[in-house]
């Protein structure tokens, strides 16, 4: 019996489709990678049903890709040809709210902003804000890619918040891993192994997160600098002073220029840092003053904004500004992360290499964590230019690895960067393959993502 | 050829011993578990030599236990009979200091306090302070047990600071895992798998840590409460307010009483909380005031100390005070961690069950993370009493697991608590066994710790 016939035995027809328009939706993510149409899309009812689906898939050697919002940026949710897509975007419930413990158990399909809206009433929040996509990104997707965001410099990435998971492995076994204790030294850390594994080890069906108290207050400021080196040094100095930064974002002058073109902000077109502080009023003042004097020592000047403009509103439009800068152009993206001292060198490298290749590049990111997004603009219609764009992106990643960094700070490897995965991890890749086999002996869970078996 | 003859081929005689006094030192840790004498102790020279030792051990099926200070509390460093001990306590060098990145690469034998003394000049520190044993605990040991301590509520546990490791696996393969990027979404998190694995997956030969900036200032305060419930609620409320606590320690009234007996402090014998704040002066003031008002609302009053006494000096002597309370008694220890709201219930449970069993118990811990140490006093000479002590400890752990907690918050499982490991982790233990096999196919690395194969 083929996989479709098998699934039809126990899945209602309104939760299983092979309609072309639905397959098209499930065939892509937010990247510019080529879509791949799956065989069918299933909206499973519960973990037990997922377990049964996995067992059927294993028997028929059918690949399974789990999908939430499909807002992945590196192809992690692009399915395999003739594979199945498990769509968990309808799994949006809060399973249990442990308000006194500052913890919550949720289904993986709940959206980041929806969750935080519900937490607000209790004075709580889940901090790893995924940049501009909080209104679509699901918590399941964030766990799968170990997402982070603007507040990760203070609060950490998604992995730091995941306490317990219910998972279904590649053998269909339903399992709870982790516990509700916030600190643990009890055996191997399977939770942090699943977090960031992009659906290749198990399907996540329930997530217990720890939460943070909403800060008593917050304050934002922004500084412009003569050059990238000075801006980068300021970030490093702030860290050295033990300054309690909630966020620090870097935009190079090209991004600022793109923002001016998008919305006529009238900003000085210099590299800048956007800062945010969280805490009680007195602490905010003190931290802001310390940050101000560190920036001033490195030649930083307060960014002058028009009345009513808040720096973070401007930052929010960075990707949009780049996307709309030139019509007919698409974005070739990377998401490198490196030791913070390498920021000036890396920003310089990105621009120098882009100039050499006659390509347009913009760099920005959550630099407090050493994360830099280098967005290259190229035309897909111009095969040579597109190829040069990809080569430039690879060159940036290779330089990052040489400097002790990593291919991906927060987006994952997916299909987009698996060509360079072995360059970063060397012989450890073989161990990763062996670990995958223990969770998924037949390689049916999101096969071909991160690395090939 | 037996293992000793093999090792003598390439290890100088001053780095390989079978002398009884040296074997005796290597046969125990700081727990009250029975010592086990190894076959020999080796002080290896470098990773390449460790690799060769491992290959010889594998061929002769000789177990290998790696040892630093031997300050483990659950038998993680107690060797196997006829096994080898690899003593890394002479590996105390700083390999590379990346001051601009707030990172350092060290050998595993470097001692916590020594490291922090060297970091001080650069305005940096490695925060997960291991309570009273910072003067002996090695960084390698801290990574192996994912240790934490008084500052973990603000700064996190050891795992959160480990960026990159050089390891030697159970096949003798030398491998680098992780990178120097502080945030990563690049494949499976092998670093966090090794951290906390108590020497059962690989031997750690180099460690790259991220560091924190020394706080501009710090301030301590302490409050006494009517009962454990109120003290515990205060901790939970402080977390909910997003209060930036550097440390919050709980001592029950029995511990306070023991401290009075040790040093005649003249303290009020009520449960108390010791708080510490880090930051700029204005922030300290603001945070201290907020904490004070939260404690006051729950009936907490400032703890009155004699002139010149600092609350944390008192806290430092907690374990000593318990140890010296009754001569002829030893400590049966546990190290449970649970969701913070369970603190009042767990403290009550510990004391009720100790009363029923006519045993003396003291509870204290880093409660900001939900960590509670319940120390039971019993005489090893009185076999029934000792057995009752162990049963009480197991009962406390079982209750913790029922409440969503974990056997160990920071000490590890070792030999001490592996009897209850499957109760906590269920079917995930089988996956852990399979993972161990990928790193250590012949089960020669610290066999029998955490779980049996």
């Amino acid at each position: 019996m083929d996989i479709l016939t098998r699934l039809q035995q126990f899945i209602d027809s309104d939760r299983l489709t092979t309609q072309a328009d639905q397959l098209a939706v499930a065939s892509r993510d937010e990247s510019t990678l080529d879509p791949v149409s799956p065989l069918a899309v299933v909206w499973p009812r519960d973990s037990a049903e997922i377990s049964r689906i996995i067992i059927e898939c294993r028997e028929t050697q059918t690949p399974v890709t789990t999908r939430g919002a499909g807002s992945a940026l590196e192809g992690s949710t692009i399915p395999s040809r003739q594979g199945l897509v498990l769509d968990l975007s309808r799994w949006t419930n809060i399973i249990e709210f442990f308000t006194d413990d500052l913890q919550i158990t949720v289904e993986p399909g709940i959206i980041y902003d929806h969750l935080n809206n519900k937490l607000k009433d209790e004075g709580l929040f889940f901090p790893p804000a995924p940049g501009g996509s909080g209104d679509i990104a699901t918590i399941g997707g964030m766990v799968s890619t170990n997402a982070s965001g603007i507040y990760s410099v203070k609060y950490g990435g998604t992995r730091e918040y995941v306490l317990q998971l219910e998972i279904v492995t590649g053998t269909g076994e339903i399992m709870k891993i982790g516990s509700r204790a916030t600190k643990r030294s009890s055996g191997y850390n399977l939770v942090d192994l699943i977090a960031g594994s992009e659906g290749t080890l198990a399907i996540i069906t329930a997530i217990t997160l720890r939460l943070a108290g909403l800060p008593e207050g917050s304050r934002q400021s922004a500084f412009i600098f003569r050059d990238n080196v000075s801006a980068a040094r300021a970030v490093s100095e702030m860290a050295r002073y033990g300054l309690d930064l909630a966020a620090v974002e870097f935009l190079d002058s090209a991004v600022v220029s793109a923002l001016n073109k998008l919305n006529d902000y009238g900003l000085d077109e210099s590299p800048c840092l956007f800062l945010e502080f969280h805490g009680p009023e007195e602490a905010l003042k003190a931290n802001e003053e310390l940050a101000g004097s560190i920036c001033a020592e490195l030649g930083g000047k307060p960014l002058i904004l028009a009345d009513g403009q808040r720096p973070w509103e401007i930052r929010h439009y960075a990707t949009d500004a780049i996307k709309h800068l030139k019509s007919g152009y698409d974005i070739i993206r990377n998401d490198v992360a490196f030791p913070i001292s390498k920021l000036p060198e890396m920003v310089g490298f990105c621009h120098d290499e882009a100039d050499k290749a006659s390509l347009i590049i913009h760099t920005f990111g959550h630099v407090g964590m050493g994360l830099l997004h280098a967005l290259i603009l190229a035309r897909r219609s111009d095969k040579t230019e597109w190829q040069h764009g990809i080569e430039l992106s690879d060159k940036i990643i290779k330089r990052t690895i040489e400097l002790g960094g990593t291919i991906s700070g927060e987006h994952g490897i997916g299909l987009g960067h698996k060509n360079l995965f072995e360059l970063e991890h060397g012989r450890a890749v073989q161990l990763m393959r062996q670990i995958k086999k223990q969770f998924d002996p037949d390689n049916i869970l999101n096969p071909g993502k991160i690395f090939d078996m």
Side-chain angles (χ1 to χ4, degrees), chain A:
Chain A
M1 223 182 337
D2 69 17
I3 182 67
L4 271 182
T5 317
R6 284 167 183 248
L7 296 179
Q8 280 157 354
Q9 315 289 309
F10 62 95
I11 301 176
D12 315 328
S13 59
D14 60 336
R15 295 190 294 104
L16 170 61
T17 187
T18 55
Q19 279 177 32
D21 56 337
Q22 303 271 29
L23 299 188
V25 169
S27 69
R28 54 173 73 248
D29 63 4
E30 288 290 312
S31 69
T32 45
L33 293 160
D34 292 333
V36 175
S37 185
L39 180 72
V41 180
V42 178
W43 290 266
R45 194 171 38 205
D46 53 28
S47 307
E49 192 175 81
I50 290 180
S51 168
R52 195 159 166 202
I53 294 169
I54 295 297
I55 289 165
E56 301 291 352
C57 285
R58 195 177 173 200
E59 282 176 14
T60 53
Q61 296 289 303
T62 308
V64 182
T65 297
T66 310
R67 182 184 177 86
S71 60
L73 293 167
E74 294 297 347
S76 318
T77 56
I78 293 178
S80 302
R81 205 166 298 283
Q82 296 306 308
L84 206 67
V85 166
L86 287 194
D87 185 323
L88 298 188
S89 63
R90 296 179 188 171
W91 289 37
T92 59
N93 290 314
I94 290 172
I95 298 171
E96 197 166 359
F97 196 170
F98 307 97
T99 47
D100 291 343
D101 297 319
L102 320 185
Q103 296 177 3
I104 196 163
T105 302
V106 297
E107 291 180 347
I110 193 167
I111 289 168
Y112 179 83
D113 282 354
H114 294 186
L115 173 62
N116 272 340
N117 281 337
K118 289 188 180 167
L119 296 176
K120 210 189 280 174
D121 297 339
E122 298 290 335
L124 299 170
F125 77 127
F126 171 53
S133 59
D135 53 344
I136 48 167
T138 65
I139 300 300
M142 289 183 70
V143 174
S144 296
T145 54
N146 184 28
S148 57
I150 55 175
Y151 298 137
S152 290
V153 62
K154 178 178 171 76
Y155 298 96
T158 298
R159 204 175 255 149
E160 276 90 78
Y161 287 83
V162 183
L163 297 174
Q164 193 165 41
L165 294 173
E166 185 191 74
I167 58 172
V168 182
T169 69
T171 60
E173 191 165 15
I174 302 171
M175 207 180 277
K176 267 200 177 176
I177 55 175
S179 73
R180 292 213 296 116
T182 53
K183 174 69 181 58
R184 291 161 290 179
S185 293
S186 181
Y188 304 161
N189 190 345
L190 299 186
V191 170
D192 286 359
L193 196 62
I194 300 296
S197 67
E198 304 181 34
T200 63
L201 294 178
I203 293 161
I204 299 169
T205 50
I207 301 160
T208 301
L209 296 170
R210 71 184 181 88
L211 304 167
L214 277 171
E216 218 186 309
S218 73
R219 195 179 283 216
Q220 300 177 328
S221 56
F223 294 86
I224 61 168
F225 291 83
R226 278 186 308 269
D227 50 48
N228 296 321
V229 184
S230 313
R233 282 219 183 114
V235 176
S236 177
E237 281 301 296
M238 286 185 263
R240 175 195 294 272
Y241 272 86
L243 185 70
D244 188 17
L245 280 163
V248 49
E249 295 281 310
F250 164 77
L251 304 186
D252 71 13
S253 52
V255 180
V256 178
S257 163
L259 281 162
N260 278 340
K261 273 180 201 131
L262 181 77
N263 260 347
D264 207 14
Y265 288 115
L267 302 167
D268 245 333
E269 295 185 1
S270 305
C272 57
L273 293 179
F274 288 0
L275 310 178
E276 187 169 315
F277 306 94
H278 289 172
E281 187 55 28
E282 290 304 308
L284 294 177
K285 247 190 238 170
N287 286 325
E288 197 181 37
E289 273 169 29
L290 180 56
S293 68
I294 292 169
C295 288
E297 266 176 44
L298 288 151
K301 291 178 191 162
L303 175 71
I304 309 296
L305 292 174
D307 280 354
Q309 280 177 358
R310 286 164 61 88
W312 288 92
E313 284 167 25
I314 295 169
R315 160 67 182 86
H316 185 81
Y317 291 108
T319 311
D320 264 2
I322 299 162
K323 214 182 269 175
H324 295 112
L325 193 63
K326 283 172 87 81
S327 77
Y329 281 70
D330 269 318
I331 291 175
I332 295 167
R333 183 187 306 271
N334 66 54
D335 160 46
V336 292
F338 39 74
I340 183 72
S341 71
K342 310 299 184 193
L343 180 61
E345 177 177 346
M346 280 305 303
V347 173
F349 183 84
C350 290
H351 283 279
D352 290 351
E353 294 296 324
D355 285 350
K356 277 190 220 165
S358 304
L359 287 164
I360 305 162
I361 200 164
H362 295 77
T363 61
F364 63 101
H366 322 310
V367 288
M369 309 283 282
L371 269 73
L372 188 74
H373 301 327
L375 271 51
I376 299 156
L377 290 179
R379 286 162 292 198
R380 291 172 75 97
S381 55
D382 180 338
K383 279 199 177 160
T384 314
E385 185 177 82
W386 192 253
Q387 187 51 35
H388 285 167
I390 287 169
E391 282 164 15
L392 171 59
S393 179
D394 281 359
K395 212 176 237 183
I396 292 167
I397 294 173
K398 284 177 192 164
R399 186 76 191 124
T400 299
I401 293 171
E402 281 168 12
L403 294 174
T406 182
I407 297 170
S408 174
E410 51 181 17
H411 297 164
I413 301 298
L415 297 165
H417 298 303
K418 65 185 232 194
N419 61 318
L420 298 172
F421 192 69
E422 199 135 350
L423 185 69
E424 177 179 344
H425 294 283
R427 292 193 288 187
V429 178
Q430 189 48 34
L431 269 175
M432 295 188 202
R433 285 195 186 100
Q434 287 168 231
I435 289 170
K436 176 163 167 67
K437 262 192 201 155
Q438 312 314 311
F439 284 85
D440 176 26
D442 287 293
N443 191 28
I444 58 167
L445 296 181
N446 215 11
K449 308 301 155 54
I450 307 179
F451 49 75
D452 288 313
M453 287 297 285

